[in-house]
Amino acid sequence: MATIESRPYLTPGANSVEAKISLVPDGLDLDRIGEDWAPGDDLTFRCIASLDDLFWAETSIDRGEAISLVVVVACASARARWRAEAPFKAVGGTWCAELELVVDGGAIAVDLTADVWVVGPGRTGSSNAAHAIHQGAKLWQLGSPMWIPLERASTDFPTSALSFSGTGRRAVPWSVEIAADAEPHWSISGSVRLYVNTDLEVCHS
């Protein structure tokens, strides 16, 4: 569900940053990754972003100050998270940043979320010089994280086998979990799931 977040520093308008996430190689389609991805294969995300001229006026940040592009990919089922960061640089008069993030295919299941941030020195407007700049401020991010289902559509009840000890779960044979942040358009496999504990011998029979 989308939320409105109030931040104690100047932020740019939603359209002052343009960011695009894709997969490497270009033949992989995020919309079809559940059909094309083979479990265990690493996934490489590429993000390219640019800043509009309005960005600088809206944030009161001077061109040339350190501004970074950050991409965060998370797998709730595996309780794992990956992050990559790259600086914005002036290229032909436009401030751009590009990065690639490799996600361990052996550590993911069910689905992923991908978020993009622009991080830099936020201007708070404080008259106190010690508090006038919020270093490492999250100036901009996607309206909502991208949801990336990894599984094919199926009529079977969504089930995954994994190590409960390795993912911080209780030592029980199985559990049913519901995604608290599930959106109405999510499929059942992205919202409710049966997990089987591979740490127990009985779950291998």
Side-chain angles (χ1 to χ4, degrees):
M1 179 180 295
T3 59
I4 298 175
E5 182 177 356
S6 178
R7 297 174 184 169
Y9 44 81
L10 295 175
T11 58
N15 296 324
S16 293
V17 178
E18 183 177 347
K20 179 182 179 182
I21 297 180
S22 59
L23 287 171
V24 180
D26 295 332
L28 286 176
D29 188 343
L30 280 171
D31 295 331
R32 287 180 44 83
I33 193 63
E35 302 295 328
D36 300 334
W37 177 68
D41 289 352
D42 291 350
L43 290 174
T44 301
F45 289 81
R46 174 186 292 147
C47 184
I48 300 174
S50 61
L51 306 179
D52 188 271
D53 287 341
L54 286 173
F55 175 91
W56 309 103
E58 292 168 340
T59 59
S60 293
I61 296 174
D62 295 329
R63 288 175 170 80
E65 291 191 66
I67 306 292
S68 297
L69 170 68
V70 176
V71 172
V72 177
V73 175
C75 180
S77 298
R79 299 181 182 176
R81 190 170 180 261
W82 295 263
R83 171 183 169 132
E85 183 172 344
F88 279 89
K89 299 178 180 179
V91 179
T94 301
W95 288 83
C96 304
E98 180 176 349
L99 60 78
E100 291 188 357
L101 172 61
V102 179
V103 171
D104 180 1
I108 57 177
V110 188
D111 58 11
L112 302 172
T113 57
D115 205 358
V116 180
W117 307 340
V118 174
V119 175
R123 298 303 198 264
T124 66
S126 174
S127 58
N128 185 334
H131 304 293
I133 298 179
H134 184 113
Q135 297 292 349
K138 188 189 297 182
L139 302 170
W140 179 94
Q141 69 183 114
L142 291 179
S144 60
M146 295 179 61
W147 177 61
I148 306 162
L150 298 175
E151 298 182 331
R152 298 175 177 85
S154 173
T155 57
D156 296 334
F157 192 88
T159 305
S160 292
L162 46 73
S163 167
F164 279 27
S165 62
T167 55
R169 291 175 168 87
R170 293 179 59 197
V172 294
W174 56 270
S175 69
V176 175
E177 298 181 14
I178 300 173
D181 59 345
E183 298 282 359
H185 64 275
W186 286 22
S187 67
I188 187 67
S189 65
S191 306
V192 181
R193 179 159 291 268
L194 169 66
Y195 290 96
V196 177
N197 187 1
T198 58
D199 300 328
L200 304 180
E201 187 63 32
V202 65
C203 295
H204 291 272
S205 59

